[in-house]
Amino acid sequence: MSTVDELEAPPREECGVFGVWAPGEDVSKLTYYGLYALQHRGQEAAGLAVGDGDQIVVFKDLGLVSQVFDEQTLDALKGHVAVGHTRYATAGGACWENAQPMFRMAPDGTDIALGHNGNLVNFRELLVEAATKGLVDKRWADPEALSARGADGANEVTAPSDSDVMCALLSDGVRDGRSVIDSAMDLLPRLQGAFCLCFTDGTALYAARDPFGVRPLAIGRLERGWVVASETAALDIVGASFVREVEPGELIRIDGAGVHTQRFAETTHKGCVFEYVYLARPDSVIRGRAVNATRVDIGRLLAKEAPAEGDMVIPVPDSGTPAAVGYAQGSGIPYGQGLVKNAYVGRTFIQPSQTIRQLGIRLKLNPLREVIRDKRLVVVDDSIVRGNTQRALIRMLREAGAAEVHVRIASPPVKWPCFYGIDFASPGELLANCVDGDDYDAMVDAVCTAIGADSLGFVSVDSMVEASRQDRAQLCCACFDGVYPLGMPQGDANAELVHRMQKENNRV
């Protein structure tokens, strides 16, 4: 029986950001509820920074939004502008120091607090710059030399996150009469990779999005203010009306005079297609396309591309549900709920006992035996990464009496890691790489055998893109096709491995 340790965590986005400028409103509680709506984008740490024009107060800690904040804490955070953040660790460790928002004081005394969603690919270059200026530990001025000293030497100093380095460089530029906007317009064009930023100087709210628009970022209007959030669902939660998305390559400033906009780079759309597949909430909208509708359409197209003979279509809740609805519609096979999800199982800091560990996937999902017994099931899930969870799930369904288990996946095979803010595994850990070369059918057969299914089918990249209603040229599909439009980080072991794989497959 699979244990908790053997089950994989789902693909995780790095962060969610939320900002509000609203004099006269309780901005700390608005931010709290906004972060609650973005909890799925980061469950390791949460924080918020509140400014009143004189100073910024930051409160952050490890844990879920509901664990980090209470009524007393929120009541003590008074001001008219706030920046909030939920975090997973994909760059920098899971420690308090890397929880966000980051905070720095500029040379002219201005407080700066910053929240970041994404990953930079030129982080090493920026780290050296920050260390050379004395903004972070000076030993990072030559990270190659530090790494060459071996594990003991490297452990003498913990590398800051790319978010901390950005905050340090941004605040350092606010000096000698230069404003936050001046500093941002100098720094932002030099950032390479995926980034959505919300930051404040305690007076105004600022937001910026990388020129490719990899991660979503939306602007909403309150009756007495403005909101910026990673997803439109967070705008809905706080009662803000959607205005528009922050454009890729745009820097905005929100204050009493409204929304001011500047461009620091030309727009080249390369939005993350996996936001539509899994990452974003189904009630969010990205580039005018409803995420839920996209997932239902993926399911319909999947039914055409990978038909199955079955008695019932069931989802792996919750992320597989819209695609399962679409698959049932496209195939004519009845839709049913064969699995019950424990809505309160998430990340926990309480370690399970060995007895509980043996329960494995049943902590999260439990079969409805009377529904699935003797049925040929078509099980729809959002993706396969390592395959451990699917293997345990199929075993559980068979033990519950399923006659056959046919697995259909509402995304193409994940063969390549992400360097832009999703913690996909290294290439060697991805189950779709279990067969050398580009023999697709052999790969599907091998994965099917590995997870113990009666059959297996994936939606194609073309159908996935079609369902998003976006142009293929305007989407990043790197985790599926190995094409990295923003480049890859230098000095990264996975990036070097990917580069070798690309050469072997004649991709470069």
Side-chain angles (χ1 to χ4, degrees):
M1 179 178 290
S2 294
T3 68
V4 174
D5 282 348
E6 291 171 339
L7 299 179
E8 63 190 270
R12 302 184 311 188
E13 225 288 332
E14 185 188 10
C15 301
V17 295
F18 186 91
V20 57
W21 183 91
E25 297 284 357
D26 194 338
V27 296
S28 63
K29 289 185 179 177
L30 284 172
T31 304
Y32 171 82
Y33 287 115
L35 294 181
Y36 218 95
L38 299 173
Q39 183 72 88
H40 61 291
R41 299 185 75 90
Q43 298 176 29
E44 285 182 353
L48 64 86
V50 178
D52 61 5
D54 293 322
Q55 65 174 356
I56 294 175
V57 177
V58 179
F59 188 91
K60 58 184 181 179
D61 206 347
L62 300 179
L64 302 174
V65 174
S66 60
Q67 295 170 324
V68 171
F69 301 106
D70 57 26
E71 192 88 21
Q72 183 177 3
T73 300
L74 294 172
D75 285 341
L77 297 170
K78 299 296 185 182
H80 67 273
V81 60
V83 170
H85 192 270
T86 61
R87 182 177 192 268
Y88 268 130
T90 65
C95 58
W96 184 90
E97 288 77 11
N98 286 328
Q100 298 186 41
M102 295 298 177
F103 176 83
R104 294 274 177 155
M105 180 178 288
D108 73 351
T110 300
D111 289 345
I112 304 288
L114 174 145
H116 167 223
N117 172 29
N119 258 11
L120 301 182
V121 298
N122 66 332
F123 170 56
R124 293 169 72 90
E125 171 188 323
L126 297 168
L127 176 60
V128 169
E129 178 184 346
T132 301
K133 291 181 175 180
L135 304 176
V136 299
D137 194 297
K138 291 187 176 181
R139 285 174 286 182
W140 287 108
D142 187 358
E144 287 83 0
L146 187 62
S147 299
R149 295 171 61 188
D152 292 339
N155 285 336
E156 291 177 7
V157 54
T158 301
S161 67
D162 54 357
S163 308
D164 188 31
V165 169
M166 274 190 289
C167 188
L169 293 172
L170 176 67
S171 61
D172 187 60
V174 184
R175 62 167 76 220
D176 303 325
R178 286 167 49 85
S179 68
V180 175
I181 286 286
D182 295 332
S183 180
M185 290 298 290
D186 175 64
L187 175 63
L188 294 173
R190 298 192 289 119
L191 303 179
Q192 298 173 21
F195 58 90
C196 283
L197 304 179
C198 274
F199 55 100
T200 182
D201 56 5
T203 300
L205 175 66
Y206 304 84
R209 195 174 176 203
D210 70 76
F212 296 89
V214 176
R215 302 283 157 228
L217 191 63
I219 305 172
R221 188 76 165 98
L222 294 167
E223 184 177 346
R224 294 192 292 176
W226 298 85
V227 173
V228 176
S230 288
E231 294 187 33
T232 60
L235 305 182
D236 299 335
I237 295 299
V238 299
S241 58
F242 172 76
V243 176
R244 65 176 178 88
E245 293 190 354
V246 177
E247 285 296 313
E250 181 183 23
L251 167 66
I252 67 169
R253 181 179 191 267
I254 299 174
D255 58 18
V259 178
H260 316 263
T261 179
Q262 290 180 251
R263 300 210 60 90
F264 63 88
E266 293 300 315
T267 295
T268 306
H269 285 289
K270 288 291 182 182
C272 173
V273 73
F274 207 70
E275 292 279 355
Y276 291 104
V277 171
Y278 174 79
L279 295 176
R281 280 176 50 143
D283 51 342
S284 285
V285 177
I286 302 174
R287 293 201 71 195
R289 177 62 167 156
V291 172
N292 184 74
T294 299
R295 292 175 185 171
V296 172
D297 280 354
I298 287 177
R300 292 196 191 102
L301 295 169
L302 176 60
K304 293 180 180 179
E305 292 186 330
E309 293 187 4
D311 302 312
M312 181 182 296
V313 176
I314 69 170
V316 178
D318 291 314
S319 56
T321 300
V325 170
Y327 194 98
Q329 293 172 353
S331 66
I333 301 172
Y335 173 88
Q337 292 286 353
L339 294 165
V340 174
K341 181 180 180 180
N342 184 343
Y344 299 97
V345 172
R347 292 189 62 83
T348 176
F349 295 104
I350 301 174
Q351 296 301 313
S353 67
Q354 182 60 30
T355 300
I356 297 298
R357 290 157 75 91
Q358 295 301 320
L359 295 176
I361 199 170
R362 295 179 190 275
L363 290 171
K364 294 185 177 181
L365 297 170
N366 203 34
L368 290 169
R369 296 173 184 272
E370 72 279 7
V371 173
I372 68 175
R373 186 179 293 115
D374 300 326
K375 295 288 198 310
R376 297 174 298 166
L377 302 178
V378 181
V379 181
V380 179
D381 204 353
D382 59 87
S383 60
I384 291 181
V385 181
R386 296 178 181 89
N388 296 336
T389 297
Q390 284 84 6
R391 186 181 300 113
L393 175 62
I394 291 167
R395 184 185 301 119
M396 183 177 71
L397 291 172
R398 293 195 191 282
E399 291 172 353
E404 297 175 9
V405 181
H406 303 275
V407 175
R408 295 297 180 265
I409 303 298
S411 64
V414 177
K415 293 177 65 71
W416 307 87
C418 176
F419 300 106
Y420 307 145
I422 310 174
D423 70 338
F424 278 140
S426 64
E429 296 177 281
L430 297 171
L431 188 57
N433 288 322
C434 61
V435 173
D436 292 334
D438 285 333
D439 189 331
Y440 182 84
D441 291 337
M443 180 275 297
V444 173
D445 289 343
V447 173
C448 183
T449 299
I451 65 176
D454 290 290
S455 72
L456 173 65
F458 296 86
V459 77
S460 67
V461 174
D462 288 343
S463 290
M464 174 185 63
V465 170
E466 178 186 339
S468 75
R469 307 283 173 87
Q470 310 298 319
D471 191 294
R472 173 72 180 268
Q474 295 187 344
L475 288 170
C476 174
C477 303
C479 54
F480 304 119
D481 62 15
V483 178
Y484 293 91
L486 283 67
M488 292 184 286
Q490 293 185 348
D492 182 277
N494 282 333
E496 293 172 359
L497 178 56
V498 165
H499 191 66
R500 289 198 299 271
M501 292 171 61
Q502 290 173 327
K503 283 186 174 180
E504 292 170 359
N505 294 325
N506 297 315
R507 294 179 183 269
V508 293

